[in-house]
């Protein structure tokens, strides 16, 4: 008998029902009782195990992005960027890397409708030959705030009221009235694309600035952008009500059914690049996550394509237990000093150790698909099979060595310790520019959504007035229209 053959897997199903420890179960219909009518005996181990398993079926849902759908496929390089990065998975056109992708909404619970106005998560895990690379982005290219210190408060304001458990605009717009840097994000969220038609018809973005490093150690700032080949489509309010009323999982279903029908969703990956020496040349801070980089100056350059051609086998294993983390990068890709990104580097693995346990990276969906080795082990639910006698480093008995040295950005960091805001806030220019690209009917829908949100009876005159002041600074006519419809004067 090979004791390692029958790993837990449906590939090794027995023809009959068993307990978790493999003993045949002769009756899975009735509890073991004293006589036909009971009482039930505690010694019915199978019954107790079955209930205990059921009682623990749910794990904590993600604190944000709880509602999601995933799928598998591959990423293929189509354009050579080996001069920019030594990342193995980007080494040459034609190279394919397996991926798993999870799309999500942000604010509401695991079973919430997929038709709500909310950003969408777009997280891609590349299983490369040099470890996993997680590009954990959203469908919008900017974010609400630029300092991770504010993230928990922001999420609390967006989440349901802790008393009523209802998402309420007065709380949302109260919080963001202190944060004019959120205006740019609101030109996406309150635009038509604030409710994507489904997960296939939306853009994706790495949002932050990352750094690519080539073999020679040269750093280049980079932003990543996904564009769907089937185009971006959205739901207007009335359509969203109709679609969501009929099926509150319509986007998960659309993704699953498309892949099952062989209509594989595809995105092209583009990058924008910037020489770090040029970062001071703009009227905004290029590492500020509330800003986009102008495409006329820093054009989109094609890199590859992402194809989702396989549905997941099991929702729990490949969605609930899936763990993405922006700190999981590979040689050739590094972080930037973007303050939000720096905070995210801590938060994801921290929540996942709590949500999934300390060995969450051993779970099949999260584990690397390349050879790997270290001496971090044991802990709860460790199932790594090890037979080494050397569990320390260095050792003259174990030939494990340091890997090849890969370049990391060698920038000199200096400055005093301080808590402060960035110098070039420039909160209003890009939101105004974006609003002015909208057609008149799209502008009208944008205004209508703001009037509706600001009409919440619990929003004070002061908060309304602050918002009108902000929008006036982004675009004078937008501010005037809001002021006249809400009968409010700007606060300055
Ligand atoms: C400092 C700011 C942020 C913090 C502290 C934060 C924290 C978190 C946490 C705790 C989770 C749950 C992870 C899990 O349970 O597995 C999460 C999920 C996620 N976050 Fe953030 N987040 C931040 C900013 C952002 C930004 C700027 C983006 C977009 C670029 C983003 C995109 C996502 C996505 C896509 C997921 C879902 C990943 C999945 O599908 O499992 N987050 N975030």
């Amino acid at each position: 008998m090979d004791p390692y053959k029958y790993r837990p897997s449906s590939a090794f199903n027995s023809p009959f029902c068993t307990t978790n420890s493999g003993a045949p179960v002769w009756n899975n219909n009735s509890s073991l009782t004293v006589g036909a009518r009971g009482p039930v005996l505690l010694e019915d181990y199978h019954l107790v195990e079955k209930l205990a398993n059921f009682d623990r079926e749910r794990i904590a849902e993600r604190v944000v992005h709880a509602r999601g759908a995933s799928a598998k496929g591959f990423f293929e390089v189509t354009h050579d960027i080996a001069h920019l990065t030594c990342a193995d998975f980007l080494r040459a056109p034609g190279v394919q890397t397996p991926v798993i992708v999870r799309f999500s909404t942000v604010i509401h619970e695991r079973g919430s409708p997929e038709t709500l106005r909310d950003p969408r998560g777009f997280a891609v895990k590349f299983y490369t030959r040099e470890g996993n690379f997680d590009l954990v982005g959203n469908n919008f290219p900017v974010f609400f705030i630029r300092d991770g210190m504010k993230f928990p408060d922001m999420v609390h304001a967006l989440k349901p009221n802790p008393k009523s458990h209802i998402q309420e605009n007065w709380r949302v717009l109260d919080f963001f009235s202190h944060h004019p840097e959120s205006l740019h994000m609101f030109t996406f969220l309150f635009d038509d694309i604030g409710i994507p038609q489904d997960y296939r018809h939306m853009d994706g973005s790495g949002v932050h600035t990352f750094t690519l490093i080539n073999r020679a150690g040269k750093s280049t700032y980079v932003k990543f952008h996904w564009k769907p080949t089937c185009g971006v489509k959205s739901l207007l309010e009335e359509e969203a009500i109709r679609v969501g009323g009929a099926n509150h999982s319509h986007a998960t279903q659309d993704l699953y059914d498309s892949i099952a029908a062989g209509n594989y969703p595809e995105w092209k990956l583009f990058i924008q690049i910037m020489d770090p020496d040029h970062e001071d040349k703009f009227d905004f801070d290029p590492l500020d996550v509330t800003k986009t980089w102008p495409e006329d100056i820093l054009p989109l350059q094609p890199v590859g394509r992402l194809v989702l051609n396989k549905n997941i086998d099991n929702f729990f294993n490949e969605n609930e237990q899936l763990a993405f983390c922006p700190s999981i990068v590979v040689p050739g890709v590094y972080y930037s000093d973007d303050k939000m990104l720096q905070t995210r580097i801590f938060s994801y693995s921290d929540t996942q150790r709590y949500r999934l346990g300390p060995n969450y990276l051993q779970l099949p969906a999260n584990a690397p698909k390349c050879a790997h080795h270290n001496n971090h082990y044991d802990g709860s639910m460790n199932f790594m099979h090890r037979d080494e006698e050397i569990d320390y480093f260095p050792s003259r008995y174990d030939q494990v060595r340091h890997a090849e040295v890969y370049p990391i950005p060698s920038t000199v960091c200096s400055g005093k310790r301080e808590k402060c805001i960035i110098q070039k806030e420039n909160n209003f220019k890009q939101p105004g520019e974006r609003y002015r690209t909208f057609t008149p009917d799209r502008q009208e829908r944008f205004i209508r959504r703001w009037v509706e949100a600001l009409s919440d009876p619990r929003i004070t005159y002061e908060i309304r007035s602050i918002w009108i002041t902000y929008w006036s600074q982004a675009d004078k006519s937008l501010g005037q229209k809001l002021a006249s419809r809400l009968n409010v004067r700007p606060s300055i």
Side-chain angles (χ1 to χ4, degrees):
M1 186 186 204
D2 176 357
Y4 293 109
K5 185 172 170 194
Y6 292 107
R7 299 182 52 213
S9 155
S10 34
F12 300 122
N13 278 352
S14 69
F16 41 79
C17 186
T18 73
T19 61
N20 286 354
S21 45
V25 169
W26 59 275
N27 182 331
N28 193 24
N29 289 325
S30 306
S31 313
L32 188 67
T33 50
V34 180
R37 296 181 57 232
V40 176
L41 290 173
L42 192 58
E43 72 187 49
D44 188 345
Y45 175 77
H46 170 60
L47 170 71
V48 173
E49 182 185 81
K50 184 175 183 177
L51 292 177
N53 230 104
F54 172 76
D55 294 344
R56 290 163 179 77
E57 274 178 13
R58 297 288 172 273
I59 55 172
E61 64 173 37
R62 290 168 178 82
V63 62
V64 280
H65 295 262
R67 168 58 131 154
S70 24
K72 296 185 277 193
F74 64 90
F75 172 75
E76 183 181 51
V77 180
T78 52
H79 293 71
D80 194 357
I81 59 162
H83 58 291
L84 297 173
T85 174
C86 58
D88 178 72
F89 79 107
L90 296 169
R91 65 189 175 277
V95 170
Q96 289 194 352
T97 301
V99 297
I100 187 161
V101 176
R102 184 172 181 271
F103 304 108
S104 49
T105 63
V106 180
I107 291 301
H108 295 282
E109 296 92 338
R110 191 150 47 192
S112 54
E114 295 178 304
T115 40
L116 300 176
R117 186 170 299 282
D118 201 10
R120 299 295 188 269
F122 192 128
V124 183
K125 189 183 289 292
F126 300 77
Y127 298 108
T128 91
R129 298 192 310 188
E130 288 183 339
N132 294 348
F133 169 46
D134 288 359
L135 187 56
V136 198
N138 280 344
N139 63 329
F140 302 151
V142 291
F143 202 66
F144 294 103
I145 46 169
R146 54 168 78 97
D147 191 320
M149 177 70 96
K150 293 175 176 291
F151 189 80
D153 293 295
M154 183 200 86
V155 171
H156 291 170
L158 285 162
K159 287 259 186 197
N161 179 332
K163 189 164 174 174
S164 63
H165 201 65
I166 297 166
Q167 189 185 40
E168 291 165 2
N169 273 332
W170 67 272
R171 302 175 72 249
V172 176
L173 297 182
D174 172 27
F175 174 80
F176 285 113
S177 71
H178 297 273
H179 300 98
E181 68 269 34
S182 64
L183 252 67
H184 200 188
M185 182 74 165
F186 277 113
T187 64
F188 290 87
L189 189 63
F190 276 39
D191 178 22
D192 295 348
I193 59 170
I195 310 179
Q197 178 179 294
D198 47 54
Y199 296 131
R200 283 186 304 136
H201 293 89
M202 61 181 206
D203 286 339
S205 171
V207 184
H208 302 280
T209 302
F210 287 83
T211 310
L212 295 177
I213 308 136
N214 70 9
R215 285 253 160 241
K218 183 173 171 13
S219 295
T220 306
Y221 284 155
V222 65
K223 280 194 183 255
F224 296 100
H225 302 279
W226 299 106
K227 303 273 173 205
T229 54
C230 59
V232 171
K233 292 188 184 159
S234 315
L235 295 176
L236 293 181
E237 284 80 350
E238 308 71 40
E239 295 170 298
I241 290 168
R242 187 176 45 75
V243 170
N247 180 358
H248 78 299
S249 302
H250 82 284
T252 299
Q253 176 146 30
D254 171 81
L255 182 68
Y256 193 90
D257 290 352
S258 303
I259 295 173
N263 178 20
Y264 301 140
E266 182 170 335
W267 284 260
K268 302 265 183 252
L269 178 68
F270 294 87
I271 53 170
Q272 283 179 291
I273 55 170
M274 183 190 291
D275 184 337
D277 291 342
H278 296 170
E279 66 180 350
D280 293 330
K281 289 194 172 167
F282 300 87
D283 62 359
F284 63 92
D285 183 339
L287 304 191
D288 174 0
V289 72
T290 70
K291 299 295 185 294
T292 48
W293 290 359
E295 289 179 20
D296 49 344
I297 304 172
L298 304 164
L300 294 176
Q301 303 179 25
V303 175
R305 65 190 191 113
L306 167 72
V307 178
L308 298 180
N309 59 3
K310 192 170 183 322
N311 274 315
I312 53 172
D313 297 318
N314 183 273
F315 183 81
F316 188 81
N317 290 344
E318 295 172 299
N319 188 314
E320 288 309 282
Q321 295 201 125
L322 198 52
F324 293 93
C325 176
S327 44
I328 296 193
V329 291
V330 286
V333 182
Y334 203 72
Y335 322 117
S336 73
D337 292 345
D338 172 342
K339 288 192 200 186
M340 282 288 286
L341 176 58
Q342 295 274 319
T343 322
R344 294 179 75 200
I345 289 170
F346 162 75
S347 203
Y348 288 68
S349 47
D350 180 53
T351 197
Q352 286 150 2
R353 286 182 191 112
Y354 160 72
R355 185 168 74 79
L356 301 167
N359 282 310
Y360 71 100
L361 287 177
Q362 288 182 21
L363 292 166
N366 300 328
K369 305 296 171 234
C370 57
H372 55 285
H373 174 79
N374 59 38
N375 296 321
H376 321 156
Y377 64 84
D378 289 355
S380 127
M381 305 306 286
N382 169 51
F383 53 90
M384 177 93 149
H385 174 69
R386 293 176 187 260
D387 60 2
E388 304 101 332
E389 290 186 273
I390 306 301
D391 59 356
Y392 50 86
F393 178 90
S395 162
R396 296 188 202 286
Y397 296 95
D398 183 358
Q399 296 310 308
V400 70
R401 54 182 172 80
H402 284 130
E404 180 187 343
V405 180
Y406 291 97
I408 55 168
S410 54
T411 2
V412 176
C413 296
S414 68
K416 46 180 199 233
R417 288 192 180 87
E418 55 191 326
K419 283 183 173 251
C420 58
I421 53 173
I422 60 168
Q423 279 168 357
K424 287 187 206 164
E425 286 204 84
N426 203 345
N427 291 325
F428 304 107
K429 187 173 165 209
Q430 290 195 357
E433 285 169 354
R434 185 173 150 78
Y435 169 77
R436 286 187 289 278
T437 66
F438 296 169
T439 55
D441 55 329
R442 194 165 163 184
Q443 286 186 347
E444 173 55 29
R445 288 192 291 274
F446 182 77
I447 294 169
R448 215 182 50 219
R449 290 180 195 119
W450 271 100
V451 170
E452 198 182 309
L454 287 167
S455 300
D456 184 319
R458 288 189 72 179
I459 294 185
T460 61
Y461 187 91
E462 182 198 7
I463 293 175
R464 273 188 205 126
S465 162
I466 289 169
W467 276 106
I468 285 162
T469 310
Y470 286 164
W471 285 119
S472 304
Q473 289 174 83
D475 184 273
K476 206 168 163 205
S477 76
L478 169 60
Q480 280 167 349
K481 284 180 186 156
L482 288 173
S484 81
R485 294 205 205 171
L486 287 159
N487 201 17
V488 175
R489 277 172 201 274
S491 62
I492 51 167

